[in-house]
Amino acid sequence: MTLKDIVAAKSRFTEAHSFELPCLTQSLCPDCQVVVDAELYEDEGQVFMKKTCPEHGAFNELISADATFFKLLRRRSYETSRRPTHSTYPSQAGCPYDCGLCEQHLSTPVMLNIDLTNRCNLNCPICFANSNAAGRVYEITLEQLDQMLDDAMQLRPEPPWCLQLVGGEPTVHPDFLEALRRVKARGIYQVQVATNGVKFAQSAEFAQAASEAGMDEVYLQFDGLDDAMYQKLRGRPLLEIKLRAIENLKNANVRVSLVPTLVKGFNDHQVGAITEFAIDHIDAISTISWQPVAITGRINEEQRRQMRYTTADLARDLEQQLGFIDRYRDWYPFSIIDPFIRLREATEKKARLHCSVHPHCGCATYLVVDKQRHTAVPLPAFIDIEPAMDALNKYADQIRKHGWLKKISLVQAMRELKKHFRPEQVPEGWQFDDLLVFINELLYPSEELLKNKALYMEGIKSRRFIMLLMASMHFQDRYNYELDRSRRCVVFYAAPNRRFYPFCTWNSGPCHRYSVEQQFARPLT
């Protein structure tokens, strides 16, 4: 499918949600945080947001460096909003001020974060979440953790699929290992820890203990392969520590997700090298979670333009630095998996979590990595994704309306999927059946493998082909804020006040993190 064909294809959006520009949205004044109307518009092939505050004047912000890429993500969105069915807090001041969840929220949490502490064993110049920057120590007790977990397990239609312990640096919490045990005991599918990796690098025994306590995956801060960048971003050389942490975690049967914070003109030239590093270490690394920088503090427009890095920049740089990724063919919003979820929901007749993320939030693709040749091919290179997903949606509707068609429709759905499979483009030795195995493991993970990490890791090591998830989530800041994105967020924070906060209202916009920390913290000594 050519770029011309993609852009000309018929929109699945309603007229009110057209993928075309300009379009209206709501944002916040960067100075006073009051809600203001905003417009997204195209100018010289880029997308900008313009808004005006009655008190503080006009603002103009770069949203995407490539208007074509931006509109493709909007058009490719498959989200099916699934409102929370548990109790919500009434909206009084309105979004984004009434988080709790409030009754305006449109999505149920898929991933839940819990801040164990805001203390840290580093002092990164760019961090806004540590105790030194906040001037107070916020550290939850095990009793508070239990209450948050009790509340999380009551979320409906299902509890969160993934729970991540975050900070600060969660590994410095005095009860870190016990916290892991208590989270894992709740039956959470995947338990993650967001970390700088220092303690895991210092002690292989600590990595093993965390694995045995229930840690499934580490979300590892990983800004590049050059210590000069770590010196500037994190205040000290860290590359050797990162590499040692990855090795210790691999030996402890814990998968690693690399998390680069991307700043334009600083480490964007290394996105290709980071990807090649992940391909070379695919036995240990499951994901690269790219994070274009969210800009905090009062910075003028010229300075913001110099450092602003968008998902379109990432797609372009990966295309140019690697050569085998196509920026327009290979990237899809996170809701691309929704047709699979709808198909599972229809066959099981049970409500499931939907990844109803706003298309402006980010995008993802999968690489099929050949461990023997140290090469990779993007999944969309040999599957026509959009017509395949349209077909799955059609069969999900058939099964939902006519349950007696379930077996026939499932067979037809797989046949339809095969119609859009291009075997001449696949890596040598990879087959359509391997695609079906991947889909089945994604939707129906083995309980035995989930409980036996050593067996799971041994299976990964024995395979020639492994999937590498590439995901970019551009978290919001006060300049590029959109209320629609916050209302459809599926990544939440739980707090000791028994409320749940969308990621971008916890860390930006109204920044509920500050008020919660102030309520439950103690003075910094």
Side-chain angles (χ1 to χ4, degrees), residues 57-334:
F59 298 88
N60 200 51
E61 188 62 24
L62 177 67
I63 299 297
S64 176
D66 186 332
T68 299
F69 181 84
F70 182 82
K71 288 185 284 187
L72 279 176
L73 292 186
R74 282 169 62 85
R75 191 180 64 77
R76 288 170 169 170
S77 185
Y78 283 86
E79 76 272 5
T80 302
S81 292
R82 178 75 67 190
R83 285 181 178 272
T85 55
H86 55 278
S87 59
T88 56
Y89 287 84
S91 180
Q92 297 175 337
C95 182
Y97 311 112
D98 289 325
C99 294
L101 298 170
C102 94
E103 58 197 6
Q104 294 186 27
H105 203 80
L106 299 176
S107 301
T108 303
V110 173
M111 178 177 181
L112 190 67
N113 293 337
I114 294 181
D115 273 337
L116 286 185
T117 179
N118 70 346
R119 293 189 299 116
C120 190
N121 48 10
L122 292 180
N123 192 19
C124 303
I126 65 170
C127 184
F128 56 84
N130 67 71
S131 57
N132 290 326
R136 55 183 174 261
V137 174
Y138 168 85
E139 196 158 81
I140 65 171
T141 65
L142 290 175
E143 291 73 23
Q144 288 171 325
L145 174 64
D146 284 337
Q147 183 63 70
M148 285 187 258
L149 293 174
D150 286 343
D151 293 340
M153 299 310 291
Q154 298 304 313
L155 291 169
R156 293 294 180 267
E158 285 186 293
W161 174 82
C162 172
L163 193 143
Q164 189 174 98
L165 297 178
V166 294
E169 172 54 44
T171 61
V172 304
H173 191 286
D175 296 312
F176 170 68
L177 294 177
E178 178 59 23
L180 280 173
R181 284 188 281 269
R182 295 192 182 198
V183 173
K184 195 63 177 179
R186 301 304 180 107
I188 300 291
Y189 167 65
Q190 187 177 80
V191 179
Q192 296 185 0
V193 173
T195 177
N196 55 37
V198 171
K199 290 195 69 173
F200 294 122
Q202 290 172 341
S203 171
E205 292 75 18
F206 181 73
Q208 183 63 43
S211 176
E212 292 173 359
M215 183 176 69
D216 299 311
E217 184 149 349
V218 155
Y219 210 60
L220 181 67
Q221 176 195 90
F222 194 91
D223 299 316
L225 295 157
D226 181 351
D227 260 333
M229 290 185 299
Y230 288 108
Q231 186 71 53
K232 187 170 182 179
L233 273 180
R234 309 297 174 185
R236 58 178 282 194
L238 288 171
L239 181 58
E240 183 181 345
I241 288 173
K242 306 293 183 183
L243 300 181
R244 196 181 314 131
I246 292 170
E247 185 64 24
N248 287 346
L249 290 164
K250 175 185 174 182
N251 292 336
N253 295 317
V254 175
R255 298 284 274 161
V256 175
S257 175
L258 303 181
V259 188
T261 299
L262 299 173
V263 183
K264 187 175 182 180
F266 184 69
N267 61 347
D268 50 340
H269 66 289
Q270 288 221 338
V271 297
I274 293 171
T275 304
E276 289 169 342
F277 174 85
I279 291 171
D280 290 340
H281 296 82
I282 192 64
D283 280 348
I285 296 166
S286 65
T287 308
I288 307 177
S289 183
W290 308 100
Q291 292 188 357
V293 67
I295 298 173
T296 61
R298 191 73 177 93
I299 303 176
N300 66 40
E301 185 176 346
E302 182 179 353
Q303 290 175 301
R304 297 197 307 272
R305 292 285 183 91
Q306 290 175 358
M307 64 188 299
R308 176 68 78 192
Y309 193 76
T310 69
T311 51
D313 290 306
L314 172 66
R316 178 203 62 224
D317 289 344
L318 285 169
E319 180 182 74
Q320 294 176 353
Q321 293 175 33
L322 292 172
F324 61 82
I325 291 181
D326 186 310
R327 76 181 93 169
Y328 299 122
R329 178 196 65 195
D330 294 335
W331 296 95
Y332 288 81
F334 296 106

Side-chain angles (χ1 to χ4, degrees), residues 398-448:
Q398 281 186 6
I399 296 171
R400 183 173 53 82
K401 294 176 182 176
H402 309 289
W404 57 274
L405 286 173
K406 182 170 73 172
K407 290 185 178 180
I408 297 174
S409 294
L410 281 175
V411 171
Q412 288 176 330
M414 293 306 102
R415 286 178 179 169
E416 188 71 30
L417 195 60
K418 194 168 186 177
K419 287 182 183 178
H420 304 289
F421 183 76
R422 298 194 293 274
E424 70 279 3
Q425 300 293 334
V426 302
E428 183 180 346
W430 207 78
Q431 310 274 343
F432 179 71
D433 286 346
D434 294 299
L435 173 64
L436 296 183
V437 169
F438 164 66
I439 293 171
N440 188 66
E441 291 178 348
L442 185 68
L443 294 179
Y444 306 98
S446 166
E447 291 292 333
E448 182 182 1

